[in-house]
Amino acid sequence: MTTPTESIAQQLATLGTSSTFATRFAIAADPHLHVDNVGDIPLPITLQTAHRLCAAAQPAHHGYKDQTRLDPRVRDTWEIPAERLRFTSPEWTAVLNRALLRIGHELGVPSPDSLRVDLHNLLIYAPGQFFAVHQDSEKTDGMLGTLVITLPSSFTGGEFVVSHQGQTVCARGSQNRLGMMAFYADCHHEVRPVKQGYRVVLTYNLIAPGATRTSELPQQAVTALASELHRVWQTPAPPRWDGDTHTEPPDRLVYLLDHQYTPSGLSWQRLKGVDAQRAAALQAAARQLDAEIFLTLADVHETWSAEDDYQQHGYWSDEQEDEDNGFDHNEDHPALGDLINSEVELRHWLAPDGSKREEISFASETELCMNRLSVDCAPFQSEHEGYMGNYGNTVDRWYHRAAVVLWPRERNFVIRARQAPDWAIAQIAEWLNAGDTIQAETRAHSLLSFWEQARSVADSDVLFTATLPVAARLDDAGIAAGLLSPFALSQLTAQQAPWLWQLLERHGQAWCAERFQQWAETHQPDTRQLAWMAQELPALAQSSCTSSDTVALLARLVQQRWGWLRQYIAQVQKYHQRSTRVSALVETSAAWLGLLRASQVTGCSTLTEQIIAMLRTNDIPLEVPLQVLHQAQKIKNLEGLHLSVLHSHCTHVLETCLAKPRRNATDWSITPPSEHGGRGLDDLAAPLLAFLASPQQQRLEWPLAQARRQLIHQFIDHHELPIRHETRRTGRPYTLVLEKTLALFERDTADRQQWKKDLAWLQRTQVRPT
Ligand SMILES: O=C(O)CCC(=O)C(=O)O
Ligand SMILES: [Fe+2]
């Protein structure tokens, strides 16, 4: 079955397909060309005239990006600018106008009788000279394409080839007539090297000024198109994956035109070939439906998988050449496999009255409709990633296309909101300020189906700050919840507390607790959550102290965060290496303190005790409570935090450690790691632990098969034991050589120094008894 979008493409395809991209014919005429400093140029051009012209000419430049360049690898020809050319034949203007009318008809220009030309230059190609494949830049507003008039002369080679979407038109010139070739500006064209003789041409910019007068469309066709458009906006898009039940109708229709356009060349009045009829048909349908309609540039970026191996290579059009490859497009392009990704950016919006809107939006796949696929257009740029890129072997292509974009007027709000969520929230806030709560709730409701994505479109923190007060003013609990659902707990700041209390008053404890739960489930980096617990949580708790309801709400939040912290700690405790484990745990110290403060302020004394108790268990390395005490120095009010308990705990542990006798200089025993003491080592555990425990044995030579050596290597690394472990690769099996290192003694000394330092700090530091 055809989808409504496909059927629109079909209907548009039947409009104005008769025109072509280039037209070529010959006329018998002589303009009586006069060139300053050369004189009259009789036709056909003789070798002698050609030599005189060359002598008076300059090498021609070509456009490169926004500059012009002289590069004979790209363009090698002589040029005489228009200022030095005159036509003295009295009939010439009429002859040219007749030719233009014919060109206008054959190119399908909407008003062929208004087509004009601007003389650009005279070009002379001597033997060997050429102009590589390129696309002309649009030199003036309204420039539609180029007209080349080949003056009669005798030459071989020098074929002029114009191509568009795989079709080509070729001209060779004539001995006694003027060769006319006119083509649209988005065509690629080249002049192949002249072999013998001279090729002399006049080039003109083809200009289509004034308004389009497209032929009247039958009313029936417009109605059919309008009804299909209506159907597009009513039909939910096909599911994107199995079980995708949330598809909605597309917001807009984005019809990609056949031709390519530049910002200055884009205008409703100067659409090329078939595009003009199709755009006119869409305009007529839009009027019937009272739909919004815009003409836009559409920058298409496609990523394809490449099927074969291929050298990295880029290529530029619009008279731009690639530094290394010149204009040579004939080298092998990689065969394209699957389309991996496609992005269509719409910009430079033109309303039917020509007024501009500078806005950028992306077209979704379900909105797109076209008769010509982008791969069938000439890419503006192409890049091949080879196997080195992120996605393996891929080809990236960029196209400068244009689109007609339409949507039902009543969807204005939603469409703009999808692209600019902060604008939508500001809009709803205005309705609320004006007392129009019904409008505010209806519009807020219309955001919910895509609101989850809003977070990735806008700066999420800014959006949250704007959304919270709006949600707090909506009566409908479901809509308020929906607006708040995409955000994360760590986005809530103490400054926003008043809105939170307002939500509490309107929707109650359970509703607010659900929001906390939802926000906690949104992914946020652990470091951000820890920082939030250290700073915002105690500040929020502090500001809750005005009423028992707000305190109760915050107490729930504190409990929830305690649950999270315990889970996080449990996860960190699974890290293998003691040093990474300890430093990750130390990173949580400020969060512990934040939680302690918040639990104290919200009167959760049992929780305060639980936290202190956990900080004193053996599972938590001493570095953590010590760091909590350090952090507490920055805080004014330590009342009720039970920090003196922590203080004495740390003092006691450090004194015990320091009371142990120092390691004897001859004692090489290593205390086996307390956790997983040899688990998983099976029969290797006993000999290894015996080696560790032995005060005398420094070295162990142990013939072991590879897998078993591996176990020992891992064990030593995980526990960061002061043992060098190497494999001697002789004999069968190889021998694992273990050797205790001096780090055993150095660590002992370093530990002691640290203990002393910490103890001295504790003794200096007063923690008020609480
Ligand atoms: O020499 C010609 O026929 C065409 C020259 C051309 O393509 C140009 O001037 O852009
Ligand atoms: Fe050109």
Side-chain angles (χ1 to χ4, degrees):
M1 211 191 80
T2 41
T3 65
T5 332
E6 283 162 355
S7 110
I8 286 179
Q10 283 166 9
Q11 291 185 25
L12 291 174
T14 62
L15 298 173
T17 43
S18 57
S19 70
T20 99
F21 63 95
T23 174
R24 180 193 59 162
F25 53 92
I27 53 176
D30 184 346
H32 294 177
L33 172 63
H34 177 94
V35 179
D36 285 357
N37 301 334
V38 182
D40 289 339
I41 309 297
L43 298 183
I45 293 181
T46 60
L47 277 184
Q48 202 187 13
T49 313
H51 290 156
R52 276 169 47 224
L53 287 171
C54 288
Q58 305 284 328
H61 289 65
H62 63 272
Y64 178 79
K65 299 199 175 164
D66 47 7
Q67 331 151 3
T68 56
R69 283 188 174 181
L70 194 61
D71 183 349
R73 292 175 306 170
V74 175
R75 184 180 199 184
D76 184 7
T77 179
W78 297 103
E79 176 183 24
I80 298 178
E83 300 80 69
R84 292 178 52 199
L85 309 177
R86 263 183 301 133
F87 302 107
T88 58
S89 157
E91 282 98 57
W92 176 238
T93 311
V95 170
L96 189 58
N97 281 342
R98 270 202 305 282
L100 284 178
L101 195 61
R102 174 165 175 190
I103 290 169
H105 279 295
E106 289 180 6
L107 290 185
V109 174
S111 27
D113 48 1
S114 67
L115 204 57
R116 285 200 301 105
V117 280
D118 257 359
L119 180 61
H120 185 52
N121 58 17
L122 179 80
L123 300 172
I124 309 113
Y125 294 78
Q129 291 194 306
F130 67 97
F131 193 172
V133 177
H134 66 282
Q135 213 178 312
D136 289 344
S137 39
E138 291 174 19
K139 299 172 193 83
T140 49
D141 273 1
M143 175 166 161
L144 189 88
T146 302
L147 166 66
V148 173
I149 303 183
T150 311
L151 302 180
S153 72
S154 125
F155 65 90
T156 61
E159 297 86 356
F160 185 38
V161 184
V162 180
S163 58
H164 191 59
Q165 284 132 24
Q167 289 178 292
T168 55
V169 174
C170 179
R172 289 200 162 76
S174 143
Q175 301 238 17
N176 47 23
R177 295 203 290 171
L178 299 178
M180 315 292 280
M181 170 78 103
F183 52 93
Y184 277 112
D186 61 344
C187 295
H188 283 98
H189 54 283
E190 67 178 313
V191 179
R192 303 223 170 113
V194 169
K195 288 187 179 134
Q196 282 175 341
Y198 283 76
R199 175 180 182 269
V200 183
V201 303
L202 291 162
T203 79
Y204 291 84
N205 299 330
L206 266 180
I207 318 238
T212 312
R213 228 181 39 233
T214 38
S215 50
E216 236 1 82
L217 275 176
Q219 191 52 39
Q220 226 179 339
V222 174
T223 307
L225 196 57
S227 93
E228 223 42 55
L229 270 172
H230 185 70
R231 205 153 75 84
V232 169
W233 295 325
Q234 301 300 316
T235 314
R240 291 152 293 182
W241 55 82
D242 278 353
D244 177 16
T245 49
H246 289 295
T247 72
E248 284 181 79
D251 279 336
R252 309 174 290 192
L253 180 89
V254 178
Y255 178 74
L256 293 179
L257 296 170
D258 275 15
H259 288 267
Q260 303 196 48
Y261 296 87
T262 61
S264 61
L266 187 71
S267 135
W268 283 103
Q269 278 74 40
R270 291 193 303 271
L271 293 172
K272 298 170 191 168
V274 291
D275 290 347
Q277 271 307 340
R278 293 178 185 170
L282 288 169
Q283 271 211 28
R287 274 193 299 277
Q288 207 174 86
L289 291 170
D290 190 28
E292 300 274 13
I293 183 164
F294 283 86
L295 179 64
T296 74
L297 292 176
D299 290 341
V300 180
H301 173 191
E302 289 190 344
T303 306
W304 292 78
S305 66
E307 299 262 273
D308 53 6
D309 211 8
Y310 169 78
Q311 289 302 299
Q312 170 118 21
H313 149 259
Y315 116 56
W316 297 83
S317 57
D318 198 19
E319 294 206 350
Q320 298 166 358
E321 98 286 27
D322 179 72
E323 289 288 1
D324 302 311
N325 298 310
F327 272 56
D328 185 2
H329 296 173
N330 295 332
E331 65 190 272
D332 290 338
H333 288 269
L336 298 182
D338 298 323
L339 182 59
I340 298 169
N341 189 37
S342 161
E343 204 174 70
V344 180
E345 187 184 299
L346 305 169
R347 61 190 175 93
H348 198 83
W349 298 65
L350 294 174
D353 65 4
S355 58
K356 281 187 198 158
R357 237 203 229 177
E358 262 328 315
E359 210 173 276
I360 290 190
S361 90
F362 289 88
S364 77
E365 205 182 309
T366 57
E367 294 175 322
L368 286 173
C369 172
M370 69 201 90
N371 281 302
R372 168 158 300 140
L373 297 176
S374 294
V375 269
D376 295 331
C377 300
F380 161 73
Q381 193 187 341
S382 181
E383 260 172 30
H384 183 243
E385 270 293 337
Y387 287 96
M388 313 294 283
N390 287 342
Y391 302 102
N393 193 16
T394 56
V395 178
D396 278 277
R397 287 190 169 178
W398 289 266
Y399 305 88
H400 284 334
R401 301 193 65 174
V404 175
V405 186
L406 305 92
W407 64 89
R409 210 176 291 284
E410 71 268 13
R411 287 191 72 75
N412 265 340
F413 178 78
V414 167
I415 288 165
R416 185 139 179 220
R418 216 190 270 279
Q419 310 281 347
D422 359 35
W423 168 86
I425 289 296
Q427 219 46 35
I428 296 174
E430 269 179 39
W431 282 309
L432 287 170
N433 292 343
D436 191 349
T437 43
I438 300 199
Q439 173 88 317
E441 291 208 338
T442 320
R443 297 300 191 170
H445 186 249
S446 73
L447 301 178
L448 300 186
S449 65
F450 60 88
W451 199 239
E452 283 298 325
Q453 287 100 280
R455 194 165 177 251
S456 52
V457 176
D459 175 327
S460 177
D461 288 347
V462 173
L463 186 62
F464 179 65
T465 306
T467 305
L468 191 63
V470 166
R473 291 162 73 190
L474 296 176
D475 280 329
D476 188 304
I479 298 177
L483 283 188
L484 294 175
S485 75
F487 300 101
L489 199 52
S490 58
Q491 297 184 287
L492 182 66
T493 67
Q495 274 165 355
Q496 294 160 339
W499 305 116
L500 196 57
W501 312 148
Q502 199 163 321
L503 284 167
L504 175 64
E505 202 177 307
R506 229 181 258 274
H507 306 301
Q509 292 279 346
W511 187 93
C512 287
E514 258 177 63
R515 301 290 74 73
F516 291 157
Q517 196 49 43
Q518 203 170 35
W519 289 341
E521 283 161 16
T522 305
H523 174 76
Q524 317 150 76
D526 293 332
T527 46
R528 184 156 178 189
Q529 308 221 47
L530 290 170
W532 185 85
M533 283 170 67
Q535 279 143 31
E536 294 304 330
L537 184 63
L540 262 172
Q542 193 69 50
S543 61
S544 74
C545 290
T546 48
S547 93
S548 57
D549 276 352
T550 51
V551 171
L553 180 65
L554 248 287
R556 281 173 183 251
L557 185 58
V558 174
Q559 282 292 349
Q560 189 221 61
R561 290 292 85 193
W562 171 230
W564 180 84
L565 184 65
R566 277 202 324 244
Q567 260 180 13
Y568 178 73
I569 298 280
Q571 203 184 310
V572 171
Q573 276 167 331
K574 291 192 196 127
Y575 293 0
H576 284 299
Q577 289 201 330
R578 185 186 137 82
S579 56
T580 34
R581 192 166 62 234
V582 171
S583 56
L585 289 173
V586 168
E587 298 280 299
T588 65
S589 307
W592 285 90
L593 183 64
L595 204 59
L596 262 180
R597 292 165 66 204
S599 69
Q600 193 276 329
V601 174
T602 52
C604 311
S605 51
T606 345
L607 180 55
T608 316
E609 282 159 24
Q610 274 176 25
I611 297 171
I612 294 289
M614 185 156 165
L615 278 170
R616 292 170 58 198
T617 56
N618 285 339
D619 285 349
I620 303 294
L622 191 70
E623 286 88 336
V624 180
L626 268 173
Q627 188 59 28
V628 171
L629 292 173
H630 273 282
Q631 297 280 347
Q633 295 306 300
K634 299 178 199 155
I635 286 154
K636 288 200 201 84
N637 186 6
L638 300 179
E639 205 73 35
L641 301 187
H642 298 274
L643 291 182
S644 58
V645 181
L646 273 194
H647 189 276
S648 12
H649 164 72
C650 293
T651 311
H652 174 73
V653 173
L654 289 170
E655 281 169 352
T656 319
C657 287
L658 285 164
K660 277 190 284 190
R662 279 175 171 280
R663 176 178 290 270
N664 189 311
T666 57
D667 176 10
W668 285 90
S669 66
I670 296 174
T671 322
S674 55
E675 334 86 80
H676 353 263
R679 235 188 303 134
L681 293 179
D682 300 330
D683 59 324
L684 299 178
L688 180 67
L689 295 180
F691 169 62
L692 291 183
S694 160
Q696 298 86 27
Q697 193 181 1
Q698 287 172 42
R699 195 176 157 90
L700 174 62
E701 302 216 348
W702 202 355
L704 275 183
Q706 190 195 12
R708 290 155 68 75
R709 290 200 307 272
Q710 210 55 44
L711 284 175
I712 306 286
H713 285 309
Q714 276 165 9
F715 184 86
I716 294 173
D717 281 340
H718 282 168
H719 297 292
E720 300 173 310
L721 299 177
I723 295 178
R724 196 175 305 119
H725 46 108
E726 280 161 5
T727 304
R728 195 167 59 223
R729 294 171 191 278
T730 52
R732 280 288 180 268
Y734 290 163
T735 301
L736 179 65
V737 181
L738 303 181
E739 190 164 23
K740 295 177 184 166
T741 68
L742 284 175
L744 179 58
F745 298 92
E746 289 156 8
R747 279 185 203 178
D748 205 53
T749 314
D751 281 350
R752 263 174 193 279
Q753 270 167 4
Q754 187 61 44
W755 295 334
K756 276 190 194 146
K757 216 168 112 194
D758 289 338
L759 189 60
W761 181 81
L762 284 172
Q763 282 159 352
R764 279 202 308 278
T765 311
Q766 291 298 313
V767 176
R768 256 161 285 128
T770 47

